[in-house]
Short mmCIF file of all heavy atoms in Angstrom, two decimals:
data_model
loop_
_atom_site.label_atom_id
_atom_site.label_comp_id
_atom_site.label_asym_id
_atom_site.label_seq_id
_atom_site.Cartn_x
_atom_site.Cartn_y
_atom_site.Cartn_z
N GLU A 102 -7.73 -63.02 87.79
CA GLU A 102 -7.42 -62.48 89.12
C GLU A 102 -8.26 -61.27 89.46
O GLU A 102 -8.14 -60.71 90.53
CB GLU A 102 -5.93 -62.13 89.21
CG GLU A 102 -5.06 -63.34 89.10
CD GLU A 102 -3.94 -63.14 88.08
OE1 GLU A 102 -3.68 -61.99 87.67
OE2 GLU A 102 -3.37 -64.15 87.68
N GLN O 2 3.67 -58.79 101.80
CA GLN O 2 3.54 -58.08 100.54
C GLN O 2 2.79 -56.78 100.78
O GLN O 2 1.76 -56.75 101.45
CB GLN O 2 2.77 -58.96 99.56
CG GLN O 2 3.46 -60.31 99.31
CD GLN O 2 2.45 -61.39 98.98
OE1 GLN O 2 1.32 -61.31 99.39
NE2 GLN O 2 2.88 -62.40 98.27
N LEU O 3 3.30 -55.71 100.20
CA LEU O 3 2.68 -54.41 100.34
C LEU O 3 2.49 -53.76 99.01
O LEU O 3 3.29 -53.93 98.08
CB LEU O 3 3.55 -53.50 101.23
CG LEU O 3 3.63 -53.83 102.71
CD1 LEU O 3 4.61 -52.92 103.41
CD2 LEU O 3 2.24 -53.69 103.36
N LEU O 4 1.40 -53.01 98.91
CA LEU O 4 1.16 -52.21 97.72
C LEU O 4 0.94 -50.81 98.22
O LEU O 4 -0.07 -50.49 98.81
CB LEU O 4 -0.09 -52.75 96.99
CG LEU O 4 -0.40 -52.18 95.62
CD1 LEU O 4 0.81 -52.25 94.70
CD2 LEU O 4 -1.56 -52.92 95.01
N GLU O 5 1.92 -49.97 98.01
CA GLU O 5 1.87 -48.61 98.53
C GLU O 5 1.22 -47.68 97.50
O GLU O 5 1.66 -47.64 96.34
CB GLU O 5 3.26 -48.13 98.90
CG GLU O 5 3.89 -48.92 100.04
CD GLU O 5 5.24 -48.39 100.43
OE1 GLU O 5 5.78 -47.53 99.72
OE2 GLU O 5 5.77 -48.84 101.45
N CYS O 23 0.87 -46.51 92.43
CA CYS O 23 0.91 -47.72 93.26
C CYS O 23 2.24 -48.37 93.06
O CYS O 23 2.65 -48.61 91.90
CB CYS O 23 -0.22 -48.67 92.82
SG CYS O 23 -1.71 -48.41 93.76
N ASN O 24 2.93 -48.66 94.13
CA ASN O 24 4.26 -49.23 94.05
C ASN O 24 4.39 -50.43 94.98
O ASN O 24 3.86 -50.45 96.08
CB ASN O 24 5.31 -48.20 94.44
CG ASN O 24 5.33 -47.06 93.45
OD1 ASN O 24 5.79 -47.18 92.34
ND2 ASN O 24 4.81 -45.91 93.89
N SER O 25 5.18 -51.40 94.51
CA SER O 25 5.38 -52.57 95.33
C SER O 25 6.76 -53.17 95.00
O SER O 25 7.34 -52.88 93.95
CB SER O 25 4.32 -53.62 95.07
OG SER O 25 4.57 -54.80 95.77
N SER O 26 7.25 -53.96 95.89
CA SER O 26 8.48 -54.73 95.60
C SER O 26 8.14 -56.07 94.99
O SER O 26 9.03 -56.82 94.53
CB SER O 26 9.30 -54.93 96.88
OG SER O 26 8.53 -55.60 97.86
N SER O 27 6.85 -56.38 94.96
CA SER O 27 6.40 -57.64 94.38
C SER O 27 6.11 -57.49 92.90
O SER O 27 5.75 -56.42 92.45
CB SER O 27 5.14 -58.11 95.07
OG SER O 27 5.34 -58.31 96.46
N VAL O 28 6.25 -58.59 92.20
CA VAL O 28 5.88 -58.63 90.78
C VAL O 28 4.45 -59.20 90.68
O VAL O 28 4.19 -60.27 91.22
CB VAL O 28 6.86 -59.53 89.99
CG1 VAL O 28 6.39 -59.63 88.52
CG2 VAL O 28 8.26 -58.97 90.04
N PHE O 29 3.61 -58.49 90.03
CA PHE O 29 2.23 -58.91 89.89
C PHE O 29 1.99 -59.52 88.53
O PHE O 29 2.56 -59.11 87.52
CB PHE O 29 1.27 -57.74 90.12
CG PHE O 29 1.37 -57.11 91.46
CD1 PHE O 29 1.91 -55.87 91.64
CD2 PHE O 29 0.93 -57.80 92.60
CE1 PHE O 29 1.99 -55.29 92.87
CE2 PHE O 29 1.00 -57.24 93.85
CZ PHE O 29 1.57 -55.99 93.98
N SER O 30 1.08 -60.45 88.46
CA SER O 30 0.66 -60.97 87.18
C SER O 30 -0.42 -60.08 86.55
O SER O 30 -0.64 -60.09 85.34
CB SER O 30 0.13 -62.41 87.32
OG SER O 30 -0.87 -62.46 88.27
N SER O 31 -1.09 -59.33 87.38
CA SER O 31 -2.07 -58.35 86.88
C SER O 31 -2.27 -57.27 87.95
O SER O 31 -1.94 -57.47 89.11
CB SER O 31 -3.42 -59.02 86.59
OG SER O 31 -4.03 -59.43 87.79
N LEU O 32 -2.81 -56.16 87.49
CA LEU O 32 -3.11 -55.10 88.44
C LEU O 32 -4.43 -54.45 88.03
O LEU O 32 -4.66 -54.21 86.84
CB LEU O 32 -1.97 -54.06 88.47
CG LEU O 32 -2.06 -53.07 89.63
CD1 LEU O 32 -0.69 -52.85 90.26
CD2 LEU O 32 -2.70 -51.78 89.23
N GLN O 33 -5.26 -54.21 89.01
CA GLN O 33 -6.56 -53.62 88.75
C GLN O 33 -6.63 -52.23 89.42
O GLN O 33 -6.03 -51.99 90.45
CB GLN O 33 -7.66 -54.50 89.34
CG GLN O 33 -7.87 -55.83 88.63
CD GLN O 33 -6.88 -56.85 89.09
OE1 GLN O 33 -6.56 -56.96 90.26
NE2 GLN O 33 -6.37 -57.64 88.14
N VAL O 49 -4.71 -54.40 84.01
CA VAL O 49 -3.51 -54.42 83.14
C VAL O 49 -2.71 -55.66 83.50
O VAL O 49 -2.63 -56.04 84.65
CB VAL O 49 -2.65 -53.14 83.30
CG1 VAL O 49 -3.32 -51.96 82.62
CG2 VAL O 49 -2.42 -52.82 84.77
N VAL O 50 -2.18 -56.28 82.46
CA VAL O 50 -1.49 -57.57 82.69
C VAL O 50 -0.08 -57.63 82.07
O VAL O 50 0.71 -58.47 82.46
CB VAL O 50 -2.34 -58.75 82.12
CG1 VAL O 50 -3.65 -58.86 82.85
CG2 VAL O 50 -2.55 -58.60 80.64
N THR O 51 0.23 -56.74 81.16
CA THR O 51 1.50 -56.80 80.45
C THR O 51 2.41 -55.66 80.89
O THR O 51 1.97 -54.50 80.98
CB THR O 51 1.28 -56.71 78.94
OG1 THR O 51 0.37 -57.72 78.54
CG2 THR O 51 2.60 -56.87 78.20
N GLY O 52 3.65 -55.95 81.21
CA GLY O 52 4.59 -54.93 81.60
C GLY O 52 4.69 -53.84 80.53
O GLY O 52 4.82 -54.17 79.37
N PHE O 65 1.05 -49.80 83.42
CA PHE O 65 1.64 -50.86 84.22
C PHE O 65 3.15 -50.80 84.01
O PHE O 65 3.60 -50.70 82.86
CB PHE O 65 1.12 -52.21 83.73
CG PHE O 65 1.21 -53.34 84.73
CD1 PHE O 65 1.51 -53.12 86.07
CD2 PHE O 65 0.96 -54.66 84.32
CE1 PHE O 65 1.55 -54.17 86.98
CE2 PHE O 65 1.00 -55.69 85.24
CZ PHE O 65 1.31 -55.46 86.57
N GLY O 66 3.93 -50.80 85.08
CA GLY O 66 5.36 -50.66 84.95
C GLY O 66 5.97 -51.81 84.17
O GLY O 66 5.40 -52.92 84.14
N ASP O 67 7.12 -51.57 83.57
CA ASP O 67 7.77 -52.58 82.77
C ASP O 67 8.04 -53.85 83.56
O ASP O 67 7.96 -54.97 83.02
CB ASP O 67 9.09 -52.04 82.22
CG ASP O 67 8.91 -50.94 81.19
OD1 ASP O 67 7.78 -50.87 80.64
OD2 ASP O 67 9.84 -50.16 80.95
N ALA O 68 8.39 -53.69 84.82
CA ALA O 68 8.71 -54.83 85.67
C ALA O 68 7.48 -55.41 86.38
O ALA O 68 7.59 -56.33 87.20
CB ALA O 68 9.74 -54.43 86.71
N ARG O 69 6.33 -54.82 86.12
CA ARG O 69 5.05 -55.25 86.72
C ARG O 69 5.06 -55.16 88.22
O ARG O 69 4.48 -55.97 88.93
CB ARG O 69 4.66 -56.64 86.23
CG ARG O 69 4.27 -56.67 84.77
CD ARG O 69 3.78 -58.06 84.32
NE ARG O 69 4.86 -58.99 84.20
CZ ARG O 69 4.90 -60.20 84.76
NH1 ARG O 69 3.90 -60.63 85.50
NH2 ARG O 69 5.94 -60.96 84.56
N LYS O 70 5.77 -54.12 88.74
CA LYS O 70 5.79 -53.90 90.16
C LYS O 70 5.03 -52.63 90.55
O LYS O 70 4.80 -52.35 91.73
CB LYS O 70 7.22 -53.76 90.67
CG LYS O 70 8.06 -55.03 90.55
CD LYS O 70 9.44 -54.78 91.15
CE LYS O 70 10.29 -56.04 91.07
NZ LYS O 70 11.64 -55.80 91.66
N ASP O 71 4.69 -51.84 89.57
CA ASP O 71 4.08 -50.54 89.88
C ASP O 71 3.10 -50.15 88.78
O ASP O 71 3.12 -50.67 87.66
CB ASP O 71 5.17 -49.45 90.03
CG ASP O 71 6.04 -49.37 88.82
OD1 ASP O 71 5.69 -48.67 87.86
OD2 ASP O 71 7.10 -50.05 88.83
N SER O 72 2.26 -49.20 89.11
CA SER O 72 1.27 -48.74 88.17
C SER O 72 0.90 -47.31 88.47
O SER O 72 1.10 -46.82 89.61
CB SER O 72 0.02 -49.63 88.20
OG SER O 72 -0.94 -49.19 87.25
N CYS O 89 -5.99 -49.44 94.01
CA CYS O 89 -5.28 -50.35 93.13
C CYS O 89 -5.19 -51.71 93.81
O CYS O 89 -5.23 -51.80 95.04
CB CYS O 89 -3.88 -49.84 92.77
SG CYS O 89 -2.77 -49.61 94.15
N ALA O 90 -5.11 -52.74 93.03
CA ALA O 90 -5.04 -54.08 93.57
C ALA O 90 -4.13 -54.93 92.70
O ALA O 90 -4.27 -54.93 91.46
CB ALA O 90 -6.43 -54.70 93.61
N GLY O 91 -3.18 -55.62 93.33
CA GLY O 91 -2.26 -56.46 92.62
C GLY O 91 -2.60 -57.92 92.74
O GLY O 91 -2.85 -58.42 93.84
N GLY O 92 -2.66 -58.60 91.63
CA GLY O 92 -3.02 -60.00 91.62
C GLY O 92 -1.85 -60.91 91.28
O GLY O 92 -0.89 -60.51 90.60
N TYR O 93 -1.92 -62.12 91.74
CA TYR O 93 -0.91 -63.12 91.51
C TYR O 93 -1.55 -64.39 90.95
O TYR O 93 -2.71 -64.65 91.20
CB TYR O 93 -0.21 -63.54 92.81
CG TYR O 93 0.39 -62.41 93.61
CD1 TYR O 93 -0.36 -61.74 94.56
CD2 TYR O 93 1.72 -62.04 93.43
CE1 TYR O 93 0.19 -60.72 95.33
CE2 TYR O 93 2.30 -61.03 94.18
CZ TYR O 93 1.53 -60.37 95.13
OH TYR O 93 2.10 -59.38 95.88
N THR O 94 -0.77 -65.14 90.20
CA THR O 94 -1.24 -66.45 89.83
C THR O 94 -0.83 -67.46 90.91
O THR O 94 -0.09 -67.12 91.82
CB THR O 94 -0.62 -66.90 88.49
OG1 THR O 94 0.81 -66.78 88.60
CG2 THR O 94 -1.10 -66.04 87.36
N PHE O 97 -2.27 -67.18 95.22
CA PHE O 97 -1.95 -66.13 96.22
C PHE O 97 -3.00 -65.03 96.14
O PHE O 97 -3.44 -64.66 95.07
CB PHE O 97 -0.57 -65.55 95.96
CG PHE O 97 0.51 -66.57 96.10
CD1 PHE O 97 1.10 -67.13 94.96
CD2 PHE O 97 0.96 -66.96 97.33
CE1 PHE O 97 2.11 -68.08 95.08
CE2 PHE O 97 1.96 -67.91 97.48
CZ PHE O 97 2.54 -68.48 96.35
N LYS O 98 -3.37 -64.52 97.29
CA LYS O 98 -4.47 -63.57 97.32
C LYS O 98 -4.06 -62.21 96.79
O LYS O 98 -2.91 -61.78 96.92
CB LYS O 98 -5.04 -63.43 98.72
CG LYS O 98 -4.07 -62.91 99.76
CD LYS O 98 -4.68 -62.97 101.15
CE LYS O 98 -3.68 -62.49 102.18
NZ LYS O 98 -4.20 -62.72 103.56
N THR O 99 -5.01 -61.52 96.25
CA THR O 99 -4.85 -60.16 95.76
C THR O 99 -4.59 -59.23 96.92
O THR O 99 -5.19 -59.38 97.98
CB THR O 99 -6.09 -59.74 94.99
OG1 THR O 99 -6.27 -60.62 93.88
CG2 THR O 99 -6.00 -58.31 94.50
N ILE O 100 -3.73 -58.26 96.73
CA ILE O 100 -3.50 -57.25 97.77
C ILE O 100 -3.95 -55.89 97.27
O ILE O 100 -3.82 -55.59 96.08
CB ILE O 100 -2.04 -57.21 98.26
CG1 ILE O 100 -1.10 -56.85 97.12
CG2 ILE O 100 -1.65 -58.54 98.89
CD1 ILE O 100 0.32 -56.59 97.59
N PHE O 101 -4.49 -55.11 98.17
CA PHE O 101 -5.04 -53.80 97.83
C PHE O 101 -4.17 -52.69 98.39
O PHE O 101 -3.61 -52.81 99.49
CB PHE O 101 -6.45 -53.65 98.39
CG PHE O 101 -7.49 -54.37 97.59
CD1 PHE O 101 -7.71 -55.74 97.74
CD2 PHE O 101 -8.25 -53.71 96.63
CE1 PHE O 101 -8.64 -56.41 96.98
CE2 PHE O 101 -9.20 -54.36 95.88
CZ PHE O 101 -9.40 -55.71 96.05
N GLY O 102 -4.11 -51.62 97.65
CA GLY O 102 -3.51 -50.40 98.20
C GLY O 102 -4.44 -49.76 99.20
O GLY O 102 -5.62 -50.13 99.28
#
Side-chain angles (χ1 to χ4, degrees):
Chain A
E102 294 130 16
Chain O
Q2 301 150 334
L3 289 175
L4 188 52
E5 295 183 351
C23 270
N24 295 287
S25 177
S26 57
S27 300
V28 177
F29 299 110
S30 54
S31 70
L32 193 136
Q33 291 80 41
V49 286
V50 297
T51 305
F65 202 12
D67 291 340
R69 289 185 286 128
K70 294 182 179 181
D71 55 86
S72 181
C89 61
Y93 304 90
T94 53
F97 297 103
K98 61 187 177 187
T99 299
I100 61 171
F101 283 82

